[in-house]
């Protein structure tokens, strides 16, 4: 695959990302061209790139400076699925399906969307790359025969989503979250605004607080179990790439939620809904 902006979506079969893919993802995280700054406050910045305004399809990028959080702690927090169930109030259900290689697996994640939208879920191939004091974790959607779309969820498509963690000192780092997700369907315009100006910054701050509390929590919860660092610890069943197929956005049902108004009890106050992406 070439390192152009098409990302993983230009592949024609399920493959594990290589160094060029990680490099292309990092370049997108660091690029400023074509991005509009929508939020900048308290060490958090959010940028949006509208792709199909009529469907509110967009890319979102968030960056946060993390003081008193070493890069390796943030990396652990993003990987630790048991801890995520504790701090991510947005999660409905999440679990690992199986491992592909020492640094890639397949997982399921379902999340709450802002009312009155339907909740979404994804099945993704995730891969990760430690680079000294920097780390990348990224994913894209795949199909797994045992986890077809559910009736109570809208199956969304992660075209490319991920995190770039950059160590800035012994106890500080910067995280960039980049997401291009097709939530399937036409969304109302308020969703993009709410995601970029309210939900995404809130989610980043929640993640930061979770990082501060992680070392103490991990000491009490299987402190030496970190299969993302020590693959030999993995308890996941092995998966073959041949069991997976690409999840093309256009093969999933589109729903039209574009005329839905934001529910009154959910408007602007400190609700726990995260970003759509």
């Amino acid at each position: 695959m070439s390192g152009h902006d098409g990302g993983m979506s230009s592949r024609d079969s399920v493959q594990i990302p290589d160094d060029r893919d990680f490099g292309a993802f990092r370049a997108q995280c660091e690029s400023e061209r074509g991005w509009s700054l929508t939020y900048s406050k308290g060490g958090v910045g959010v940028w949006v790139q509208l792709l199909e305004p009529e469907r509110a399809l967009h890319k979102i990028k968030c960056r946060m400076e993390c003081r008193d959080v070493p890069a390796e702690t943030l990396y652990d927090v993003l990987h630790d699925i048991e801890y995520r169930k504790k701090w991510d109030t947005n999660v409905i259900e999440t679990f690992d399906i199986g491992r592909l290689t020492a640094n890639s697996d397949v997982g399921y994640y379902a999340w709450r969307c802002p009312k009155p939208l339907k909740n979404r879920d994804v099945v993704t191939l995730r891969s990760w790359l430690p680079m000294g004091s920097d780390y990348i974790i990224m994913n894209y959607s795949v199909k797994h025969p045992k986890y077809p779309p559910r009736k109570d969820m809208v199956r969304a498509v992660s075209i490319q989503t991920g995190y770039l963690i950059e160590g800035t000192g012994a106890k500080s780092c910067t995280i960039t979250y980049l997401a291009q997700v097709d939530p399937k369907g036409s969304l109302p315009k308020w969703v993009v605004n709410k995601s970029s100006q309210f939900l995404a910054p809130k989610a980043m701050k929640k993640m930061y607080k979770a990082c501060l509390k992680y070392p103490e929590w991990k000491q009490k919860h299987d402190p030496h179990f970190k299969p993302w660092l020590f693959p030999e610890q993995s308890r996941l069943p092995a998966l073959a790439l041949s069991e997976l197929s690409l999840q093309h956005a256009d093969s999933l049902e589109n729903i039209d939620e574009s005329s839905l108004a934001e529910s009154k009890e959910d408007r602007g106050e400190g609700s726990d809904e995260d970003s759509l992406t």
Side-chain angles (χ1 to χ4, degrees):
M1 191 206 97
S2 62
H4 60 72
D5 207 40
M8 304 299 297
S9 58
S10 57
R11 294 191 183 283
D12 53 12
S13 63
V14 175
Q15 293 173 40
I16 291 159
D18 58 23
D19 286 347
R20 282 180 302 173
D21 297 316
F22 282 109
F25 177 78
R26 182 170 197 144
Q28 277 200 72
C29 286
E30 293 170 349
S31 163
E32 293 178 8
R33 211 175 86 201
W35 292 93
S36 305
L37 182 70
T38 58
Y39 180 98
S40 182
K41 200 168 152 187
V44 178
V46 182
W47 294 261
V48 166
Q49 202 174 85
L50 275 174
L51 303 168
E52 292 178 36
E54 66 283 359
R55 282 183 56 217
L57 186 63
H58 64 287
K59 285 187 190 181
I60 190 167
K61 178 158 61 177
C62 314
R63 189 170 292 137
M64 176 173 60
E65 297 163 18
C66 302
R67 285 176 300 180
D68 302 314
V69 175
E72 57 267 27
T73 299
L74 184 40
Y75 184 63
D76 286 351
V77 166
L78 290 174
H79 270 293
D80 197 321
I81 198 165
E82 293 309 315
Y83 190 54
R84 180 172 283 275
K85 291 170 188 173
K86 183 176 172 59
W87 68 266
D88 185 356
T89 49
N90 195 49
V91 68
I92 295 171
E93 186 181 5
T94 185
F95 52 85
D96 297 324
I97 293 170
R99 70 187 158 85
L100 293 162
T101 66
N103 73 321
S104 62
D105 64 15
V106 173
Y108 175 85
Y109 182 76
W111 73 97
R112 292 182 187 89
C113 289
K115 295 172 189 151
L117 304 181
K118 290 185 176 178
N119 294 327
R120 261 71 176 172
D121 68 356
V122 286
V123 174
T124 59
L125 186 159
R126 303 174 298 202
S127 49
W128 50 93
L129 180 69
M131 305 164 287
S133 61
D134 296 350
Y135 304 86
I136 289 176
I137 304 173
M138 62 185 194
N139 73 59
Y140 69 98
S141 281
V142 292
K143 280 199 266 196
H144 187 291
K146 290 183 181 164
Y147 301 95
R150 292 164 44 165
K151 286 191 170 62
D152 58 334
M153 298 270 177
V154 176
R155 178 61 50 92
V157 176
S158 166
I159 295 160
Q160 186 174 52
T161 302
Y163 300 90
L164 167 65
I165 304 165
E166 297 172 286
T168 53
K171 285 194 170 181
S172 64
C173 64
T174 299
I175 179 163
T176 304
Y177 166 72
L178 176 69
Q180 183 180 354
V181 173
D182 188 333
K184 289 317 296 172
S186 300
L187 295 167
K189 299 285 187 286
W190 61 260
V191 170
V192 180
N193 294 334
K194 183 165 183 173
S195 295
S196 61
Q197 293 167 26
F198 177 67
L199 301 173
K202 191 167 180 238
M204 294 296 268
K205 287 167 193 165
K206 192 175 285 181
M207 183 197 297
Y208 176 63
K209 284 180 185 167
C211 289
L212 294 172
K213 294 176 182 173
Y214 182 69
E216 187 184 352
W217 180 89
K218 188 60 176 166
Q219 275 303 311
K220 300 172 187 162
H221 299 83
D222 223 347
H224 302 295
F225 182 67
K226 294 185 178 182
W228 53 92
L229 297 179
F230 311 108
E232 65 278 5
Q233 294 180 346
S234 179
R235 300 162 185 162
L236 291 177
L239 265 183
L241 275 180
S242 57
E243 295 176 62
L244 307 171
S245 54
L246 286 181
Q247 178 66 78
H248 293 293
D250 54 14
S251 69
L252 287 166
E253 182 188 2
N254 264 316
I255 59 164
D256 187 355
E257 297 178 302
S258 59
S259 59
L260 292 177
E262 191 175 358
S263 63
K264 285 193 175 66
E265 74 270 15
D266 210 44
R267 191 174 292 141
E269 91 309 327
S271 66
D272 270 331
E273 274 79 17
D274 195 342
S275 165
L276 271 173
T277 46

